[in-house]
Amino acid sequence: MSDPVIHPTAIISESAQLGSGVRIGPYSIVGPNVVLGDDVELVSHAVVEGNTVIGKGTRIFPFASVGHEPQDLKFHGEDSRLEIGERCTIRESVTINPGTQNGGMLTKIGNDCLIMANAHVAHDAILGNNVIMANYVGIAGHVHVGDNVIFGGTCVIHQFSRIGSHAFIGAQSMVDGDVIPYGMAIGNRAHLTGLNLVGLKRRGFEREAIHRLRAAYRQIFASEGTLRERVEDAAELFKNDFLVQDVVRFISEASDRPILLPRNGQVTE
């Protein structure tokens, strides 16, 4: 156990909770309802406010604004929260807002996430573990992001959209719908371009499992029949395959946004 190390220029509320080994650099501000877990570091000039909990080992870089009230005209001071997981890296000028009454009162970021400079996570967004957001990525309100998703630089995600686990979003994309797990999307407006095969191989998925997923992808996004019929057929044909069933469940769940499809019905996988 080690006492927090606080630079004399930092302003820390007396009621803030600081874990063991916390380091707070010059000109940082920590509000009264903030909880900083063990070994959290505010490098300098970082501001953490609101009902915010930050997990062990997370680092926040200069000029990040974490926990200030949402950019939502419907927000009227409700006692909403922000939770950030362990071992996250939040780079310069990132903004992250808490939840709202209309969205569950919670914004949540999982463990081991990297949020690069000038990125934004809006109110009521839920991000999984191991998410990487490159510079200037904008996650709008109520967006749900699965585990191991990568966002290329300067892309934006429409409110209420879902991004499935292990998906890849190309740089400068405007995503206005749901991206299936293991999918890859790019463009303005974005379309599905195939499966994130590079990511799947890097994360150690077996070759046979990837082959089955590719076969299911071709079936689900073929031109014959309706999407619902093709999904039902894939669910039956690959009923013992976890990856395919993950995609089937994702498509079958109700959503406020449409499922992104390949452009002009072209299936390349």
Side-chain angles (χ1 to χ4, degrees):
M1 299 290 289
S2 59
D3 293 333
V5 177
I6 302 174
H7 192 274
T9 60
I11 300 174
I12 313 300
S13 172
E14 293 182 358
S15 61
Q17 300 180 43
L18 308 182
S20 172
V22 166
R23 292 168 290 169
I24 301 178
Y27 302 102
S28 296
I29 299 174
V30 178
N33 298 319
V34 171
V35 178
L36 302 182
D38 294 347
D39 301 316
V40 167
E41 180 182 8
L42 310 186
V43 175
S44 75
H45 298 83
V47 180
V48 184
E49 287 285 357
N51 299 314
T52 299
V53 177
I54 298 179
K56 179 179 180 180
T58 287
R59 302 181 70 208
I60 301 179
F61 281 74
F63 306 108
S65 173
V66 176
H68 279 104
E69 67 179 56
Q71 300 174 108
D72 184 350
L73 294 176
K74 297 183 295 297
F75 180 78
H76 297 295
E78 50 263 34
D79 202 27
S80 58
R81 297 177 294 125
L82 167 63
E83 297 178 6
I84 297 175
E86 298 181 354
R87 300 174 302 277
C88 292
T89 301
I90 299 171
R91 294 304 304 249
E92 293 82 357
S93 300
V94 165
T95 54
I96 307 175
N97 297 150
T100 66
Q101 187 171 2
N102 293 322
M105 298 285 285
L106 174 67
T107 301
K108 186 173 183 178
I109 295 173
N111 300 326
D112 301 297
C113 294
L114 170 58
I115 304 178
M116 298 186 196
N118 297 284
H120 174 66
V121 179
H123 59 89
D124 305 294
I126 305 294
L127 276 62
N129 302 318
N130 300 295
V131 172
I132 298 176
M133 296 170 54
N135 300 320
Y136 294 97
V137 169
I139 303 292
H142 311 277
V143 168
H144 282 213
V145 178
D147 296 338
N148 299 294
V149 174
I150 297 177
F151 297 93
T154 67
C155 69
V156 292
I157 312 301
H158 192 285
Q159 60 264 34
F160 294 100
S161 295
R162 298 178 299 151
I163 311 297
S165 296
H166 297 279
F168 181 89
I169 310 300
Q172 297 184 333
S173 295
M174 197 292 152
V175 178
D176 60 353
D178 295 346
V179 180
I180 61 168
Y182 320 106
M184 185 163 56
I186 191 169
N188 182 10
R189 307 293 178 145
H191 61 282
L192 199 61
T193 60
L195 295 172
N196 182 17
L197 297 177
V198 173
L200 292 171
K201 293 174 183 176
R202 286 177 176 173
R203 296 184 186 112
F205 285 83
E206 295 180 356
R207 178 175 299 186
E208 293 77 10
I210 295 175
H211 286 332
R212 291 192 298 270
L213 184 60
R214 294 179 70 181
Y217 177 91
R218 288 192 292 269
Q219 178 173 343
I220 290 171
F221 296 104
S223 58
E224 298 83 8
T226 67
L227 178 61
R228 178 181 298 228
E229 291 171 339
R230 298 192 300 266
V231 169
E232 291 174 350
D233 290 343
E236 178 61 26
L237 184 61
F238 299 93
K239 59 184 177 182
N240 296 320
D241 189 283
F242 173 79
L243 300 187
V244 176
Q245 293 302 320
D246 197 15
V247 175
V248 167
R249 283 192 299 272
F250 184 91
I251 296 175
S252 301
E253 290 171 354
S255 173
D256 292 309
R257 306 300 305 166
I259 297 290
L260 260 61
L261 302 174
R263 177 173 289 173
N264 299 325
Q266 297 177 353
V267 179
T268 59
E269 289 300 334

